Amino acid sequence: MTNQSKIATANRPFACYGAEQLEGIRNRIIVQPKLRQEYERQWKLSDAFANEELSLPIQRIYAFRTVPFVFRTPEHAAYLKFALHIRGKGEVWINQVQLTHSEKGLPIPLANGRFDHGFFGWVASPYSFTSSTSLQSSEPPGQGQCLHVKNLSNNDHMQLSITDQIPVHSKEHYSIQTTLRLDQLFSEGGINIEVRFLDAAGQPLDEVYTSPSFNRKTPTNWAVLLETAGADADVYMVTGDAVYAERAKRKILYMLPDMCQGMDIFKATGWHDDDTYGAVHIGRGIAVLSVIYDQIADSGVILPHENADIHSKFRYIAEMMMDTTYYQFDLEQFPDEKGGKRSNWNADRATGLGIYALIFPEEKLADDYLAHACAVVDWQLEHVVDQDGAWPENIRYHGAVLHRYFMFFTLLQRQKGVDYWSRDKVKKMYRFLIDTVTPKDNVQGGPDSEPKLLSPAVGDSTVDDQWFRLFAYAAPFYATTDSQFSREMMWAWQHGGGVVRDTGAYPCTLLALLYPQPELPLEAPTLTSVHYQGMGYIIFRQHSGVWGRENYAIFEASPLTYHAHHDEGHFSLWANGTPLTLDPGTGGYYNGDRHWYVNGHAHNVVQFIDEAGVIQNGPLKSLCEEVFFSNQLDYVRSKIPDVHAEAYHRHFAYVKAGVDIYVVWDHIRSQNNSVWNLHTMSTSSDIEMNRITAHCLNEMKLEVTFLEPNGISVSKNHGAVSGAYPLTVQEHFRISCDGGGDGDSSDGGGGGSNDCSADGGSNNHSDCSRDYLTLLYPKTHETPGFIIQSLLTDTDYPELRMYKILRDEQTLFYLLVNGTEQSHTFCCQAGATLLNPHDKVSYSPKHNGECHIQVDAGRLAVLLTNV
């Protein structure tokens, strides 16, 4: 790592570091293995792209786009066939055609979707003599073959039909994704897809679906060049070799005009099927490009007219970012998910403007932009970030906003002396990322990886978002002012994989080399069960940090609807470093698989069936009515306002105290039938009577026992799951009452107490107002199972239920359920004192061995023995 030509003292001061600091930066990269590894990765990235430029112009290197067509199959559809139609004078290169079952988020294999076997499985039907098809190698090389269609006349029309009939389900969503390249527009029409359907007998249906026509040039868009341009600038920063500054300059001169023309289209058409040109990503882009420009501005490679053009384009972008017809940043409520003051879009837009203003202080409007950016951030910290420091969308967008805040805060402090780091809400935003971590996951990343912490997937988040790199960037800012906090950030960073590379959408490569100090000390935080009321996350923990014994569950009862999924009451579980059931995460916003990720059937929730027999999605928000944490029991009760139920509460309890069983009671008043969804990270499963045993990763099992209803039917399928796991799908179980759960709802009622009776009785309450009562038991192959005894209660009140759970003939706990609207007294035979850990009340048996336990209306009680 030698300097081929030293960078002279800059006439234009560097924004992120001083000229006098460069030698120290270079030395740190040499000395610190993680920084050196990241720098060498960036160097290789820069050189590899330069080699590609030798054979292809920059606009052709990443010139393929994937165009989705999402549709819902008609009634009686059993098969589909589709064809691509290319109309008008022009040519197109088609790299791949994919089909996705959007209801499951899973691809449907096509026989020759990438044209690896030529025209096998396809029929080309030209409607004129001047249309032709051929096979060509993809550009850049190594990406397989392309199907090239060329029309020489305005009236030409080529049809490419797939020969197979593809089985489908009726009235479900599918998506066809076509990956293609267009160097010029077609004179007429362009490319669209026609889908036809057949019934089970193979007879054509009347419905024919036609996609909108695609007729837009697909040159390399600016966003895919950003990381490489940053790598160019970083190698120039370290070596002083002007060749790398020249590479960065070429990309800047390409990216800025592409941004401008895309913003123009976005403003004119509301082109929301490609966020690349929306305010959120342009905000990220203008920030990172400003940093890259600043790094090479005095390299001598930028000619005066190029410099003027760069400044002009930056100025145009900044002005557009203040145009409310492009982005409505002045609205306090969302006009849609991409508008308003509260959106993550506005955070990225404003901080991008602020960073631009700090790096280009000579610009006429720089002070106005900076004041605007500070006002937006101040307002968001006060009115959007909640009392716990959570950005109120989900963990993914929490990390995204904090990421863009980071560079803005560092430059404000360096150039203006403005300190955001000491603000309470800023510190809480980092604390939130620490306090939500999962246990060390022993599966994520593959068999050769160290176990590492993850961020839980809830809604539009995935477990592998890698926000822990933010701790490496920010910990040095707290090393002296709050050393304990800095050490805990470093612990989360190291145990979250120790990544310094800035990953994800629109990275700033300089962050990874300039800010991390891997040598800083670390210390494990104290992690306990926690409730984030504003976000609606309830996290249950036991044995945190104890490898092999740590248990973790996250439950959602959210008052928010930001980026919402129909997942209220959902839970995810880890045990022994292994995920047993997970939120599926998020798919692509525009490729059609969102029907899976957003839908209730992808989550561990109850769905109700409407009068037409169609399973419906639940609400987008719910109310957490009670949370309780202790060393023996964690518990949450949430009210889920589903329109198909007169009343619905989900109770979720984690019985600790050497038991490690989860109890889920869905207390339902509804005239509608329902289904109970469960997803398990399992390779196979056994279904026997009222029990499902899922065989999960790392030889773990999840044993699921349905105490209610008595008779169940179980269907099994699969659905997509996010994260770098060896399983790309989870098993998906749908549980319902045998016979559809028919029967009138019962309100319960009346008061009084019930008589005690011997163990082993049965109340025959098969319906219980359509309740579900379920035990989830994470276990190893060696762990013994448990036995459940149903105990008699007052037969006048079928909504009173009592169970005894035993293992190896030892009573673990009693489970009492009062589904009535009044308090009731239960009694049971007990050989020892029973403890209700929720209210700390002990019940000693009388001389005849009876214990009398009061349970409030609509509540469950867990009574522990041997305490």
Side-chain angles (χ1 to χ4, degrees), residues 655-668:
V655 187
K656 302 178 178 180
V659 177
D660 292 328
I661 291 176
Y662 296 89
V663 180
V664 186
W665 176 34
D666 292 291
H667 185 205
I668 297 169

Side-chain angles (χ1 to χ4, degrees), residues 560-571:
L560 305 171
T561 58
Y562 294 78
H563 284 275
H565 293 199
H566 296 277
D567 58 356
E568 295 306 310
H570 169 85
F571 55 87

Side-chain angles (χ1 to χ4, degrees), residues 839-857:
D839 57 16
K840 304 297 183 185
V841 175
S842 295
Y843 300 92
S844 298
K846 299 181 183 299
H847 65 278
N848 61 356
E850 294 180 1
C851 279
H852 295 260
I853 304 102
Q854 189 84 8
V855 181
D856 290 340

Side-chain angles (χ1 to χ4, degrees), residues 767-779:
D767 184 44
C768 292
S769 302
R770 308 185 192 281
D771 284 7
Y772 298 90
L773 183 60
T774 314
L775 304 183
L776 298 103
Y777 182 32
K779 54 182 289 191

